[in-house]
Amino acid sequence: MNFLLIIGGLVLLILGGNWLLKSAVALSLKLEIPKIIIGMTVVSFATSAPELIVSINAALIGKSDLALGNVIGSNIANLGLVLGITLLFGTMEVQKSFYKTDWPVMMIASGLLYFFLIGDHVIVQYEGIILFSFLIIFLIFLLRFQKTAVVDELPEDDEPLPLYKIVLFFVLGGLGLWGGSELLIKGATTLATEFGVTDRVIAVTVVSIGTSIPELAASIIAVVKKEKAISLGNLIGSNIFNILAVLGITSIITPITLIDNRLLTSDIFWMLGISFIILPLVFIPKGYRLNWKDGILLLAAYCIFVYLTI
């Protein structure tokens, strides 16, 4: 029954995210908002919406380890699992913006998260405001100075929708995300209790993989269609958004308290380590690209992480 709740929750999260994205793209076309702005704001929000809703719900009911573990686990999954699988299908060219802005900002965001937790094991409201403000500054910088460095994730054959359909998809998306997060949290927490493991273990494995499915699905689709829609920058951008927006917004609403110390002594170091290793992989042996060998290495690292966690 708990597995059914988890699967049902994941399905609703994926459908909800897709519906929300569809309404957002259609609204951008109707209002004639540049795609680059929608891509860096609404698209990022839509792909990270499952993490956001799950984290807020978890924190509100006192399951902070689900909120923290979900984000930390999703960031590890994005680079270890999603990027690893994507690289098995072909070589990925890396833009210079990777080491000039994207990677440094991701490492700074990850460092801030560690710094906020290491002292009192709580992310309080003003720390959440700092995280979210950093995201706003980063987005303004990208839009103002590095528009050409941002890869547009939206397909060129978007079709405008009538207003009632935009509202319908928006409402369905919101309900799907809310209902999916409720089912996922209920199934995950009950499953953790039954198997005698902590919320943290379920969060950094089952829940984090589930909420990373939108990124994984988008990557596989991009590879099949031979599009460059998903780049290293997009996945790093998702990691940045997870920390600065998901944890930022959640902690503004309610403080996020660390319960299981292994999130701080183990999991966050895996996140920092996999995030850091991407930089040398890009330059060795040939600069500005990642290939299938890097993909195998990242997948192996992710499998080791899951094995040690379980």
Side-chain angles (χ1 to χ4, degrees):
M1 184 63 185
N2 292 319
F3 279 113
L4 289 177
L5 288 175
I6 291 173
I7 293 171
L10 291 176
V11 170
L12 280 176
L13 284 172
I14 295 166
L15 290 175
N18 285 335
W19 288 330
L20 185 65
L21 178 58
K22 194 167 185 176
S23 70
V25 172
L27 185 62
S28 73
L29 291 172
K30 185 171 284 291
L31 299 178
E32 297 183 348
I33 298 173
K35 280 188 176 183
I36 180 126
I37 295 177
I38 295 298
M40 283 303 297
T41 54
V42 179
V43 173
S44 295
F45 171 79
T47 55
S48 289
E51 285 94 341
L52 178 61
I53 301 299
V54 167
S55 295
I56 290 175
N57 269 359
L60 285 174
I61 63 173
K63 296 286 184 180
S64 291
D65 277 2
L66 273 178
L68 271 175
N70 179 31
V71 166
I72 293 173
S74 290
N75 281 13
I76 296 171
N78 280 345
L79 296 181
L81 181 67
V82 177
L83 180 59
I85 290 175
T86 303
L87 290 175
L88 295 182
F89 290 89
T91 300
M92 180 181 290
E93 300 294 330
V94 179
Q95 298 176 336
K96 290 184 178 180
S97 61
F98 159 75
Y99 67 85
K100 287 184 176 179
T101 54
D102 299 345
W103 184 85
V105 170
M106 178 181 66
M107 294 306 298
I108 292 171
S110 301
L112 274 175
L113 175 59
Y114 178 76
F115 176 75
F116 287 157
L117 285 173
I118 192 66
D120 55 6
H121 291 193
V122 180
I123 304 177
V124 294
Q125 188 177 59
Y126 80 88
E127 292 170 333
I129 293 172
I130 292 173
L131 291 174
F132 191 67
S133 299
F134 186 28
L135 175 67
I136 300 301
I137 294 169
F138 173 59
L139 290 177
I140 292 172
F141 173 80
L142 277 183
L143 295 175
R144 184 159 183 167
F145 299 106
Q146 286 199 307
K147 287 185 178 181
T148 56
V150 181
V151 179
D152 190 0
E153 292 189 24
L154 306 179
E156 295 299 324
D157 56 352
D158 295 323
E159 295 182 5
L161 297 173
L163 185 59
Y164 80 91
K165 283 192 176 181
I166 295 175
V167 174
L168 177 64
F169 279 123
F170 182 81
V171 172
L172 287 175
L175 290 174
L177 289 172
W178 175 78
S181 69
E182 290 283 341
L183 292 177
L184 182 62
I185 290 174
K186 185 175 181 180
T189 53
T190 309
L191 191 68
T193 304
E194 285 186 359
F195 279 87
V197 298
T198 63
D199 289 338
R200 165 230 166 214
V201 172
I202 296 295
V204 298
T205 54
V206 178
V207 178
S208 65
I209 292 173
T211 53
S212 289
I213 284 177
E215 286 88 351
L216 179 59
S219 297
I220 298 299
I221 290 169
V223 170
V224 171
K225 290 186 176 181
K226 296 182 179 180
E227 296 177 354
K228 294 297 182 181
I230 300 296
S231 70
L232 178 59
N234 299 133
L235 291 173
I236 288 180
S238 178
N239 280 15
I240 292 170
F241 199 90
N242 281 344
I243 295 174
L244 300 182
V246 174
L247 291 182
I249 293 173
T250 302
S251 57
I252 289 172
I253 296 172
T254 180
I256 302 175
T257 304
L258 181 74
I259 300 170
D260 191 330
N261 202 47
R262 283 169 294 183
L263 276 167
L264 193 56
T265 58
S266 174
D267 302 338
I268 200 166
F269 287 110
W270 275 94
M271 182 187 77
L272 289 166
I274 289 183
S275 298
F276 178 81
I277 201 174
I278 298 296
L279 183 65
L281 287 180
V282 165
F283 293 105
I284 301 171
K286 295 180 180 179
Y288 304 124
R289 67 181 59 185
L290 292 167
N291 58 32
W292 63 271
K293 294 178 182 177
D294 301 312
I296 291 176
L297 179 63
L298 290 171
L299 276 174
Y302 185 74
C303 290
I304 292 170
F305 162 71
V306 172
Y307 175 77
L308 293 176
T309 300
I310 294 175

